Amino acid sequence: MLKTLITISTLATAPLLANAQSDARQDAIMVTGMRISADSISDNAMPNVTLRVPADFVLFEASFINTDLETEARRSDLKKAFQSVLQKDRDRDDIELNIGDAEESYPIESTTFDEIYSPYGQRSNFDLTMRVNVRKGDNYYNVRARAEAFIDSVPEFGRVQSYIGDEQYIGLRNPNRYRSDLIAAISKEVDDMGEAFKASEITVFGLDKKTVTQPTGALSLDVFIPYDLTIVSKRTYSD
C-alpha cells in the first residue's frame, strides 16, 4: 500500500552491521513513508539550494511465519524456506536481502538460520528486508511488483506463509556523491546574493553538516546541506 505522507527518518546502524557491510551500504540513507514525528523536516526548515534526485532503492520488510502445531515441523519448514531464500538471493543482483527489519538488519550471507529463527507460542518466524533497486523509468508499482514476485517465488513448505509489510522505505546509496554539486550551487547563490544586495560580506554557516535527504514522492528525494548565511550590505541610505 503506497503512502502519500512522507517524512525523513535516519536509521540507526548497529555496530555489527557497520562492521559487516560495505561502505556503500553504510552510507545508505533511509527515509520512511509512514512515520510522522516532531523532528520531521518542514519546508520552512529546508535551505534554498536543494537537488531533487531519484531514489536508488525501495526497502520492504517481509516475514515468513509458520503456525504448525508440531514444533519440529514448524522449524523444519521455516528452515527450508530460509534456504530457498538464500539460493534465490544468489541468483539475482537487483534485490539486496538482509535479515531483520528496517531499523536493525544484518547481511543474510553472514547469518545462520538458528540465529534468526524466532519461536513464540504456537508460531515461529524469521524476518528479512529487501532493498529493491529502482530502474530507469520505474514507478513505485513496478518496484513493488518485483518485491512481491521474489517473495511469491519461494516455495510453500508445510504451513509456512509469507507477506510483505505495509511500511515501505526509499533511500540513497552514498548521498555524499551529491555534495560537490550542492557546494557549487550554494557558492553560486552566495555570488548572486552578493550582487543583488551589494554585500560587503556574506558568511555561510553549516557547510560542515552531513548531507540530508527529504522524500518528495514515491521514488524521489531532495538532497541538501542545512546551511544558513548572513549578509552585510554596503548600501548607504540618506534622508
Side-chain angles (χ1 to χ4, degrees):
M1 181 170 56
L2 178 60
K3 301 296 182 181
T4 57
L5 293 177
I6 44 183
T7 63
I8 187 165
S9 173
T10 301
L11 300 187
T13 304
L16 176 59
L17 177 60
N19 291 333
Q21 291 185 318
S22 67
D23 291 341
R25 292 186 186 180
Q26 290 178 33
D27 289 339
I29 300 296
M30 305 299 300
V31 289
T32 175
M34 292 289 289
R35 288 193 289 269
I36 305 296
S37 71
D39 296 329
S40 297
I41 295 178
S42 67
D43 289 340
N44 292 333
M46 293 178 64
N48 185 55
V49 174
T50 65
L51 292 177
R52 184 154 298 177
V53 300
D56 289 331
F57 61 87
V58 180
L59 183 144
F60 299 89
E61 296 174 318
S63 294
F64 287 79
I65 299 172
N66 194 346
T67 57
D68 197 310
L69 296 179
E70 294 293 333
T71 304
E72 286 305 313
R74 191 192 314 164
R75 185 182 186 282
S76 175
D77 289 337
L78 275 174
K79 186 173 184 179
K80 291 176 184 176
F82 176 69
Q83 291 170 337
S84 179
V85 167
L86 279 177
Q87 183 56 55
K88 292 182 180 299
D89 182 46
R90 299 185 189 104
D91 293 341
R92 61 192 303 165
D93 58 8
D94 61 329
I95 296 179
E96 178 187 309
L97 297 185
N98 288 286
I99 293 296
D101 56 29
E103 294 185 357
E104 185 174 0
S105 61
Y106 310 92
I108 193 170
E109 62 271 14
S110 67
T111 310
T112 67
F113 176 73
D114 290 337
E115 290 172 328
I116 57 97
Y117 179 67
S118 179
Y120 184 78
Q122 294 185 345
R123 58 172 279 179
S124 300
N125 70 283
F126 68 85
D127 301 322
L128 56 83
T129 64
M130 298 181 291
R131 289 183 183 180
V132 184
N133 291 342
V134 176
R135 300 170 181 167
K136 186 176 181 179
D138 265 342
N139 59 40
Y140 168 82
Y141 299 102
N142 298 145
V143 181
R144 172 88 188 192
R146 291 201 293 277
E148 292 175 342
F150 180 88
I151 294 299
D152 291 343
S153 71
V154 178
E156 295 182 355
F157 298 99
R159 299 189 64 180
V160 174
Q161 295 180 316
S162 59
Y163 70 92
I164 296 177
D166 287 336
E167 190 170 73
Q168 300 91 44
Y169 304 76
I170 59 175
L172 295 177
R173 294 183 175 91
N174 187 25
N176 278 335
R177 69 184 187 267
Y178 297 106
R179 193 171 184 88
S180 60
D181 291 336
L182 286 168
I183 294 294
I186 292 170
S187 177
K188 184 179 185 305
E189 183 187 54
V190 170
D191 290 342
D192 291 344
M193 288 284 197
E195 180 67 25
F197 288 95
K198 308 300 181 185
S200 60
E201 179 182 331
I202 297 179
T203 304
V204 183
F205 303 92
L207 294 184
D208 58 326
K209 295 179 181 179
K210 291 184 177 181
T211 307
V212 177
T213 58
Q214 168 88 346
T216 56
L219 295 178
S220 64
L221 309 95
D222 279 348
V223 183
F224 59 90
I225 302 170
Y227 71 94
D228 292 298
L229 59 81
T230 59
I231 301 173
V232 177
S233 177
K234 59 185 178 183
R235 289 179 177 175
T236 58
Y237 299 89
S238 59
D239 295 333

